[in-house]
Amino acid sequence: MKKQFVSRNLLPIVIFILSGFLFISSASDKEKTFSVSKGGNLEVSVSNGNITISTWEKDQAYIKALNVEEDDLKYLRIEQQGNKVIVEFKGQDSNDFNLEVSVPSQFNIDLSTGGGNINIKGNINGKVDLATGGGNIDINDVSDKLSVSTGGGNISVGNVNGETELSTGGGNISVKDVKSKIELSTGGGNISIGNIGGSAEVSTAGGNIFVGKASGSAELNTAGGNISLDGATGKVEVNTAGGNINLKNISGSIEANTAGGNIYADLIPSSNSLSELNTAGGDINLLLPSNAKVNIVATVYVGKHSNDPDIEKMIKSDFESTTVDKSSKNLIKKFVLNGGGSMIELNTASGKIKINKK
């Protein structure tokens, strides 16, 4: 009697385990290999899943789709059209789907996934276009144009020779050197870029920005972090709602604004340019060549302390001022260097101003 009871109770358990095993084993992997030549194209579009791309020197493209559920096999397409390899997967039940691909390094790559990570191992000698609905993107060097977007992950990129466009809804962005112009944006992360061989447009809704030297103009914006730029040849526009601004080796003009930080600017003014540095709650330190031909107007709000005999120390300079005005609630000092020329305006509401020679 006891044996029958045990048998009757074990039978459903055994059936349950076996059915679970059968369910798990219904997922399968699919592989294909194609003969290709250098300079071809890889196009991938999948509804979900991680994508890993490796490069090699073989004249082959190898594709492996992992964990494809039986019901989703009809939604998997892997084929070759000339020197183009196409991978498409629109299945909804394969939650653990992943794609692994190996192609020649001299290939153009166009990838999109609805919600996974993208990882490119090896350098790509071609154009690269990557998009994911919400994963991280990691890329090595790219020899041509690069376009990357993710709905909310981090982006890490090596060196890029071509024009570069990177965007994420809320992650960090890190890039090594770029030999052409670059456009970057993130909804709330830090941005770090090496040297740039062209102009730069960079924005984050709430992180720090660190940029090397830009061979052109630079526009850098953050809603709440620090901004650092090591050099630029052109117009520099920087804005932060609450951080410090550090600008070195700028040959051109500067428009810098911060609501609550200090501003340091090392400037070689271009001829007939206008520069303006404004902070609502910090100090301004401007460094100029001794032979710079500029007109400077430096203003500090002093309020009711305008008659204080030490108030003039709020603006210090290695250059001799031409006029000092304390008649209003502002201390205003004007400077004409080497006969005058380009215009520089410095304004702080509650800090100090220093103007130094290089």
Side-chain angles (χ1 to χ4, degrees), residues 46-227:
V46 298
S47 56
N48 60 79
N50 302 322
I51 301 174
T52 301
I53 306 294
S54 300
T55 61
W56 56 16
E57 295 310 309
K58 299 179 182 180
D59 290 330
Q60 291 181 334
Y62 169 75
I63 297 92
K64 185 175 183 179
L66 295 85
N67 304 317
V68 184
E69 294 294 337
E70 197 70 33
D71 292 342
D72 281 342
L73 284 173
K74 59 181 175 290
Y75 301 114
L76 177 63
R77 173 189 172 207
I78 304 174
E79 64 180 46
Q80 182 179 20
Q81 296 178 359
N83 205 28
K84 179 192 295 185
V85 176
I86 299 172
V87 181
E88 187 178 271
F89 181 65
K90 301 302 180 185
Q92 300 297 322
D93 296 328
S94 304
N95 295 326
D96 296 324
F97 175 81
N98 285 294
L99 186 67
E100 297 177 358
V101 179
S102 296
V103 293
S105 58
Q106 295 181 8
F107 236 60
N108 300 308
I109 295 179
D110 187 344
L111 309 180
S112 66
T113 174
N117 301 320
I118 298 176
N119 187 6
I120 297 184
K121 301 176 180 179
N123 301 331
I124 302 295
N125 296 317
K127 296 179 181 179
V128 177
D129 193 336
L130 311 176
T132 173
N136 299 320
I137 296 178
D138 195 347
I139 316 165
N140 280 1
D141 297 351
V142 177
S143 70
D144 208 320
K145 184 176 181 179
L146 174 65
S147 177
V148 171
S149 66
T150 171
N154 299 320
I155 298 175
S156 177
V157 180
N159 298 306
V160 185
N161 287 348
E163 296 181 5
T164 302
E165 296 181 12
L166 310 176
S167 66
T168 171
N172 300 319
I173 299 178
S174 174
V175 188
K176 292 183 180 179
D177 293 345
V178 177
K179 291 187 178 180
S180 187
K181 71 176 184 179
I182 188 168
E183 296 182 15
L184 279 74
S185 66
T186 171
N190 298 320
I191 295 176
S192 175
I193 314 171
N195 295 328
I196 302 169
S199 60
E201 293 184 24
V202 179
S203 66
T204 172
N208 300 317
I209 297 175
F210 302 95
V211 180
K213 296 179 180 179
S215 298
S217 59
E219 183 177 347
L220 315 176
N221 298 284
T222 174
N226 300 319
I227 297 176

Side-chain angles (χ1 to χ4, degrees), residues 284 286 288-290 292-300 312-325 331-347 352-357:
I284 297 175
L286 175 64
L288 292 170
S290 58
K293 296 181 178 182
V294 295
N295 295 74
I296 304 173
V297 178
T299 304
V300 175
E312 287 191 33
K313 295 179 180 179
M314 298 293 289
I315 301 176
K316 294 183 179 180
S317 176
D318 293 337
F319 305 97
E320 192 70 32
S321 60
T322 55
T323 63
V324 178
D325 183 359
L331 169 65
I332 303 172
K333 287 188 178 182
K334 295 182 179 180
F335 304 81
V336 179
L337 309 185
N338 302 301
S342 298
M343 190 71 192
I344 301 175
E345 297 179 5
L346 312 174
N347 302 284
K352 297 177 181 180
I353 294 176
K354 291 182 180 180
I355 305 168
N356 300 115
K357 294 179 183 179

Side-chain angles (χ1 to χ4, degrees), residues 18-46:
L18 288 174
S19 65
F21 176 77
L22 291 172
F23 175 78
I24 293 171
S25 64
S26 65
S28 61
D29 301 339
K30 298 297 177 183
E31 303 176 71
K32 282 192 178 182
T33 301
F34 303 106
S35 295
V36 296
S37 58
K38 295 177 175 63
N41 298 278
L42 172 67
E43 295 183 2
V44 176
S45 176
V46 298

